Amino acid sequence: MTDTDERVKHFLTTQDWSVDELTGLLELADQLKADPLNDSLRGKSVALLFLNPSMRTRTSFQVGAQQMGAIAVVLAPGQDAWGVEFAPGVVMDGDAEEHIAEVAGVLSRYVDLIGLRAFPKFRDWSHDRTDSVIKALAQHSTVPVINMETIVHPCQELALMQTLRGRFGDIAGRKMVLTWTWHPRPLNTAVANSALLIGTRFGADVTLLCPSEEYLLDPQFMDAAKANAEASGGSLQVSHDIESAYDGAEIVYAKSWGALPYYGHPEEEWRLRQHNKHFIVDEAKMALTNNGVFSHCLPLRRNVKATDGVMDADYCLALDEAENRLHVQKALMMTLAGAK
Ligand code: CP
């Protein structure tokens, strides 16, 4: 939870939204998938601030806004817009030309919604784990803020859930494996944190499969997922054994992430990482599942994180999940803008 104006409903993490609210978003997303065009946001606007690269998030928000009559303004602070300082009380004699207090204040007067992508800096996890950048935006914004990926990726969670509901109806009681997968360098834990949160929230029996204890996710997400599972009737287990984790799974969700004890020290992390190329998702592992589906948030390096055979299989839902980003974000924009 964040210390923001409680009169403004933000979308910073799905944990701030009830299961009923999330289900409402997913039902609206299904309606928008069937009937994509409407005028519900005519005259409205959304500012999309990207501190990091994006293909899917940027395109789906822009197209989604346009399909409902709104305009989207894309800004890359530090590149095509002034660099922004997010910390309070700083003597701003570095690179940033303006403070988030003014950026949020000005944008709140121009637009109806503000989205932000701000990956962690990969220097100090004790700082990055507080998600202070998007919280600073929400604190100073008088319009709803949408998390487009920080240390969680809640829009991706919604898209994953729309995809799984489309395939299974209900994921309660189904075995879902969140598997760490191989990648040549340490990546953000956001999508892994998010998959853990949303799977347990909707009652799946989630197994977190990772090479060793060093790859466990931050306790704030492990604990939240355990609490989610208790509330939903699902479960959360940790495994380092590939065969037993895949055995009987109906959902395999893959992501690579960095080992938090070595955060900011990629050379040291490599000493651990280099021994785990066999975590790649391949056809042999998928054959252990119970006719399981596979998905990934994308982008994905083929034959590094998952084989061509997995990516091209009928059971791969990665493109459906990417498409569903469009529908869930439209539902989110309509809801936050009070247009439903
Ligand atoms: N999955 C996802 O957020 O993709 P982009 O990084 O391309 O936006």
Side-chain angles (χ1 to χ4, degrees):
M1 298 293 287
T2 52
D3 122 30
T4 57
D5 182 342
E6 288 182 359
R7 290 167 297 183
V8 183
K9 177 92 166 163
H10 300 293
F11 188 69
L12 306 188
T13 162
T14 53
Q15 293 292 111
D16 290 343
W17 288 53
S18 71
V19 171
D20 283 349
E21 288 174 320
L22 296 173
T23 302
L25 287 174
L26 294 168
E27 288 171 353
L28 179 56
D30 286 341
Q31 290 170 27
L32 291 165
K33 189 167 186 167
D35 188 8
L37 303 181
N38 65 61
D39 281 337
S40 62
L41 296 188
R42 183 188 290 274
K44 305 268 188 194
S45 50
V46 53
L48 305 172
L49 275 58
F50 285 95
L51 303 189
N52 312 95
S54 166
M55 191 272 269
R56 279 145 289 271
T57 304
R58 176 176 170 159
T59 308
S60 53
F61 266 108
Q62 279 190 280
V63 170
Q66 193 269 339
Q67 288 184 350
M68 300 189 294
I71 63 159
V73 179
V74 176
L75 299 166
Q79 296 177 53
D80 60 16
W82 302 114
V84 180
E85 173 61 58
F86 289 87
V90 171
V91 176
M92 289 178 52
D93 56 0
D95 292 336
E97 286 296 336
E98 57 182 333
H99 195 270
I100 190 59
E102 285 71 52
V103 174
V106 170
L107 289 177
S108 293
R109 297 193 184 195
Y110 292 155
V111 303
D112 302 283
L113 301 165
I114 305 173
L116 174 67
R117 166 165 287 195
F119 290 176
K121 298 270 192 241
F122 298 103
R123 287 198 287 268
D124 175 7
W125 180 244
S126 69
H127 175 261
D128 288 347
R129 73 188 294 278
T130 65
D131 222 3
S132 60
V133 169
I134 198 157
K135 286 179 181 171
L137 171 58
Q139 181 190 344
H140 293 289
S141 175
T142 58
V143 300
V145 170
I146 298 172
N147 186 336
M148 301 196 299
E149 190 175 349
T150 57
I151 59 168
V152 287
H153 198 350
C155 294
Q156 196 73 49
E157 292 178 46
L158 293 179
L160 170 61
M161 276 309 301
Q162 187 182 17
T163 308
L164 295 179
R165 281 162 54 99
R167 176 58 68 112
F168 296 109
D170 185 359
I171 66 164
R174 297 187 188 276
K175 182 172 180 181
M176 171 178 172
V177 178
L178 166 61
T179 179
W180 183 93
T181 190
W182 166 247
H183 187 281
R185 61 186 177 83
L187 301 178
N188 193 358
T189 55
V191 172
N193 296 331
S194 277
L196 208 61
L197 293 177
I198 205 69
T200 51
R201 201 79 191 282
F202 280 85
D205 290 323
V206 178
T207 297
L208 169 60
L209 171 64
C210 56
S212 59
E213 293 277 310
E214 288 94 334
Y215 284 95
L216 290 181
L217 297 167
D218 186 278
Q220 68 179 310
F221 299 112
M222 299 295 292
D223 292 346
K226 277 182 212 146
N228 286 350
E230 273 175 30
S232 68
S235 63
L236 175 64
Q237 289 165 22
V238 172
S239 174
H240 306 308
D241 181 71
I242 291 173
E243 281 73 23
S244 62
Y246 273 79
D247 182 36
E250 290 181 89
I251 302 157
V252 176
Y253 200 63
K255 185 70 184 74
S256 192
W257 63 88
L260 293 177
Y262 301 99
Y263 196 80
H265 302 282
E267 301 82 11
E268 290 178 39
E269 206 255 8
W270 173 253
R271 280 189 225 130
L272 200 63
R273 173 172 294 266
Q274 63 181 322
H275 303 297
N276 294 306
K277 292 185 180 177
H278 60 292
F279 272 78
I280 184 174
V281 183
D282 58 23
E283 297 94 311
K285 295 187 185 74
M286 289 302 297
L288 299 171
T289 68
N290 178 14
N291 288 314
V293 297
F294 168 79
S295 198
H296 185 279
C297 63
L298 306 179
L300 177 141
R301 295 186 187 214
R302 279 178 175 241
N303 304 310
V304 172
K305 287 177 166 175
T307 59
D308 283 333
V310 168
M311 291 307 293
D312 294 333
D314 289 343
Y315 56 67
C316 178
L317 304 182
L319 294 186
D320 295 327
E321 183 178 331
E323 179 198 321
N324 289 339
R325 291 289 304 277
L326 176 66
H327 311 306
V328 297
Q329 289 159 196
K330 286 169 69 180
L332 185 60
M333 287 190 280
M334 277 182 69
T335 302
L336 290 174
K340 66 165 273 285

